[in-house]
Amino acid sequence: MLEIFVKIYEYFIFFYATSLIFSYILLAIFSFIAINRYKSYNTDNDDEELLSSPLAPGISVIAPAYNEEKTIIINVKSLLTLNYPLFEVIIVNDGSKDKTLDLLIEEFDLVEAPFAYVEKIKTQPYKRTFKSKNPKYEILTVVDKENGGTKADAFNAGLNASIFPYYLNTDVDCILARNTLSKMIKPILNSKVTVIAVGATLRMSNNCEIEEGIITRVRPPKALIPRFQELEYIRSYLLGKMGWELINSVPNVSGGLGMFNKEIAIKAGGYGADSHAEDMDMLTRMAVHMMNNRLDYKIGYIPLSCCWTEGPPNIQILGRQRTRWASGLFQMFSDHRRILFNPKYRRMGLITFPYTFIYEFLAPIIETFGLLFSIFLLFYGYVNWNFAPLILLYSYTFAIMISSIVIIWDQMTFKYYNTTREVLSLFITAFIEPIFYHPLIVFFSLKGYFSFITSQELAWGTMTRQGFENDDKKKKSDGGNENKNDGNNNPGDNSGDKKSGFFEKLKNKKSSNNDFEPLKT
């Protein structure tokens, strides 16, 4: 009986691993096509026309804040420096217990102001709204509310306070490139199909040079835990999300950076107030709304790095973050279980959800069972020593190969890192990630699943911020080759001359007054 079970187990692992490898290869091909297509259809001229146009649609930038006193000022300043014709910045103070709100009031000269706060989506009680007495900060709005326990509830309050037809969700620990809004609105304006959401690549801000809220020098993190995350993010966004974008099956748009159609978000019911996976939950709600109403939609992704976020600096903080993420993933599949393998929901039901369920949600469970079962087989002498080392070496080599390809691809296409040493540090990270970092992620995932099953409370905002030092005081020359940028980060965007949609209408707007109607706000 045991021999039969062992044989079934071996076949299962073989087919599971083979299908996973095949999916990675397929996603890599899709990603290559999608990135090259993006580069050929996007030009700097488009940006110039958009930034100078009175027809550019307004965008609300929404950032929840809970106990963010160490980084709140520099990050709000970063949001205020975005380069776009028409936008507002909404900071939602979600019942912070530290000096977050006090620092905002002092730094930006805020006072309580009358505000037409309409609760389109129900949240924890709204308290008051602050506006600045300084005209310099007229686009800044601070909403104060009672703590809702999740970032999702804070986002909903930001939606209630927003006035523009599109919104960008981000975190107050994020530093955005100055051209983020123009880059992320372009897929929406250029598409013939309704684009419900657009995402972009995130990276770690740890050890980057930051001046007045603007990234002036990109570096991979020096500390090992954030550097693991840097590699993980590059692989996830460039290979994963861009691959899914080609077949319109993007599973989620990051809560750290995502642009959404506000009308559809509200019609879909907003963010699930108790969700700890608000990014995937929101996108799922919007996609389901479109499918239930038989409306075509598209989810866009751009390969440019528009956002740098402070990664957990140590294992303890990483554990809190990933436990919450895993619990949120379990919660998401529980709440939207009707979608899984359901042909009614088309690509989402038959491709996106099954892939995420089998290769992301079940992966930690399968890996842990495999480890325990291998120990059992070792104890009873069932291990095939002729093939076991080869299989282990094959898996390890494939993991390194995928990461290495992504690093090379990223550097050849966008070249965010200035020195060979910085790139080599990521290659070294790729060799040790499967041994040290991946087992931690598996453990924290299982812990998150257990937390959800046992209904343990997981409050958001438990990330301990390190804050950003003033890089003016510790600027390094790097051999006289700083190659600084102004935070715009436009690599890969200067080729091709194909235009469509919004930009064709901008070009011809003088010949017709009815070519493009500005969106009402």
Side-chain angles (χ1 to χ4, degrees):
M1 184 66 180
L2 179 59
E3 292 181 355
I4 296 175
F5 184 79
V6 169
K7 186 64 65 176
I8 294 173
Y9 168 77
E10 289 176 346
Y11 275 109
F12 171 77
I13 293 299
F14 172 78
F15 285 112
Y16 183 84
T18 301
S19 61
L20 179 61
I21 290 170
F22 177 76
S23 69
Y24 272 121
I25 294 172
L26 201 60
L27 281 174
I29 295 171
F30 287 170
S31 176
F32 180 81
I33 296 172
I35 290 175
N36 280 282
R37 179 182 294 181
Y38 175 85
K39 290 170 63 180
S40 68
Y41 276 86
N42 288 270
T43 73
D44 290 337
N45 291 334
D46 287 343
D47 287 3
E48 293 173 4
E49 292 178 5
L50 176 60
L51 293 176
S52 63
S53 172
L55 306 179
I59 301 171
S60 300
V61 179
I62 302 174
Y66 177 72
N67 293 349
E68 303 283 356
E69 63 180 13
K70 285 191 176 182
T71 62
I72 188 66
I73 299 303
I74 192 170
N75 285 292
V76 172
K77 286 183 176 180
S78 172
L79 297 179
L80 294 173
T81 62
L82 293 173
N83 186 21
Y84 191 75
L86 184 62
F87 74 102
E88 64 174 342
V89 175
I90 300 174
I91 306 298
V92 182
N93 179 51
D94 195 35
S96 296
K97 298 176 182 178
D98 63 359
K99 296 180 180 179
T100 296
L101 183 58
D102 295 334
L103 291 173
L104 286 170
I105 292 173
E106 180 181 357
E107 178 69 26
F108 299 106
D109 200 14
L110 301 177
V111 294
E112 284 191 49
F115 189 83
Y117 180 88
V118 180
E119 195 175 57
K120 309 178 194 74
I121 306 168
K122 187 172 180 58
T123 69
Q124 288 298 308
Y126 156 83
K127 293 181 178 179
R128 50 190 173 167
T129 298
F130 292 89
K131 297 289 290 185
S132 177
K133 295 187 292 184
N134 188 340
K136 180 181 178 181
Y137 305 122
E138 64 179 351
I139 63 171
L140 176 63
T141 300
V142 175
V143 174
D144 187 28
K145 63 178 286 292
E146 292 185 9
N147 182 262
T150 65
K151 189 162 61 175
D153 190 70
F155 271 132
N156 283 336
L159 276 176
N160 290 336
S162 65
I163 62 173
F164 291 128
Y166 298 98
Y167 73 94
L168 185 93
N169 66 230
T170 187
D171 292 329
V172 291
D173 66 320
C174 291
I175 300 292
L176 304 187
R178 293 192 66 226
N179 62 358
T180 295
L181 299 182
S182 60
K183 292 298 183 185
M184 295 188 69
I185 197 69
K186 283 165 69 175
I188 295 174
L189 301 177
N190 278 330
S191 177
K192 296 179 181 179
V193 178
T194 300
V195 177
I196 62 174
V198 177
T201 304
L202 277 73
R203 293 177 190 258
M204 297 294 104
S205 63
N206 307 58
N207 292 110
C208 289
E209 289 187 9
I210 302 168
E211 298 177 10
E212 291 299 317
I214 297 174
I215 295 281
T216 58
R217 174 74 155 81
V218 177
R219 287 192 179 92
K222 292 180 181 179
L224 197 56
I225 295 297
R227 197 175 344 133
F228 281 136
Q229 296 166 77
E230 176 91 344
L231 177 59
E232 181 184 27
Y233 274 40
I234 296 172
R235 186 173 58 235
S236 173
Y237 287 104
L238 285 188
L239 189 147
K241 302 290 178 61
M242 288 305 301
W244 288 119
E245 196 270 347
L246 186 71
I247 58 174
N248 196 26
S249 298
V250 176
N252 73 302
V253 171
S254 172
L257 182 68
M259 185 171 289
F260 297 86
N261 183 309
K262 188 177 80 170
E263 180 183 5
I264 296 172
I266 292 175
K267 286 182 177 179
Y271 293 84
D274 62 345
S275 176
H276 287 285
E278 69 282 340
D279 48 3
M280 193 170 186
D281 177 74
M282 182 73 260
L283 195 63
T284 300
R285 287 165 172 259
M286 295 175 74
V288 167
H289 168 79
M290 298 297 284
M291 286 183 281
N292 285 342
N293 288 278
R294 302 183 182 277
L295 300 172
D296 290 333
Y297 71 94
K298 180 177 174 58
I299 303 166
Y301 237 91
I302 64 175
L304 301 179
S305 291
C306 294
C307 176
W308 284 260
T309 181
E310 184 183 356
N314 55 52
I315 294 176
Q316 181 182 13
I317 299 173
L318 176 71
R320 291 203 296 261
Q321 180 196 68
R322 296 310 170 94
T323 298
R324 182 173 60 85
W325 287 7
S327 179
L329 184 64
F330 202 133
Q331 179 187 31
M332 199 277 306
F333 276 112
S334 176
D335 291 345
H336 301 287
R337 56 188 176 276
R338 70 186 186 282
I339 297 174
L340 188 63
F341 302 115
N342 189 341
K344 174 184 176 182
Y345 296 102
R346 297 180 282 180
R347 291 186 185 91
M348 177 169 283
L350 299 178
I351 298 177
T352 309
F353 260 54
Y355 179 90
T356 306
F357 180 76
I358 295 171
Y359 297 115
E360 294 187 19
F361 177 76
L362 291 181
I365 299 173
I366 293 173
E367 287 187 45
T368 303
F369 175 80
L371 176 63
L372 296 176
F373 192 62
S374 297
I375 295 173
F376 172 81
L377 295 178
L378 179 65
F379 183 78
Y380 282 94
Y382 277 92
V383 175
N384 187 331
W385 290 106
N386 293 323
F387 292 100
L390 293 176
I391 294 174
L392 186 63
L393 180 62
Y394 173 73
S395 303
Y396 176 69
T397 304
F398 181 79
I400 294 173
M401 182 190 72
I402 289 295
S403 295
S404 299
I405 289 174
V406 171
I407 294 169
I408 295 170
W409 193 351
D410 175 58
Q411 189 65 8
M412 289 179 62
T413 308
F414 304 112
K415 196 173 174 57
Y416 283 104
Y417 309 118
N418 291 348
T419 68
T420 303
R421 182 179 180 179
E422 291 171 355
V423 179
L424 286 177
S425 71
L426 286 180
F427 277 114
I428 295 172
T429 305
F431 276 85
I432 60 178
E433 180 193 24
I435 301 172
F436 296 104
Y437 183 71
H438 182 71
L440 288 174
I441 299 303
V442 171
F443 173 75
F444 295 139
S445 295
L446 294 176
K447 185 178 178 182
Y449 298 166
F450 180 77
S451 296
F452 177 78
I453 294 171
T454 56
S455 301
Q456 293 183 22
E457 184 177 351
L458 292 167
W460 82 284
T462 55
M463 165 80 170
T464 303
R465 307 297 179 198
Q466 302 296 300
F468 303 107
E469 295 182 23
N470 187 343
D471 291 298
D472 288 327
K473 297 179 181 178
K474 62 181 188 67
K475 203 175 296 179
K476 298 180 180 180
S477 63
D478 285 328
N481 186 28
E482 278 284 305
N483 291 332
K484 289 190 177 181
N485 59 67
D486 63 354
N488 288 328
N489 295 302
N490 294 325
D493 249 19
N494 55 1
S495 60
D497 57 0
K498 300 174 184 177
K499 301 180 186 293
S500 62
F502 179 78
F503 298 102
E504 285 184 346
K505 292 172 182 176
L506 280 182
K507 185 177 179 181
N508 299 321
K509 66 181 181 290
K510 292 183 179 179
S511 61
S512 172
N513 292 327
N514 298 316
D515 279 344
F516 187 87
E517 288 291 333
L519 292 166
K520 302 295 190 296
T521 63

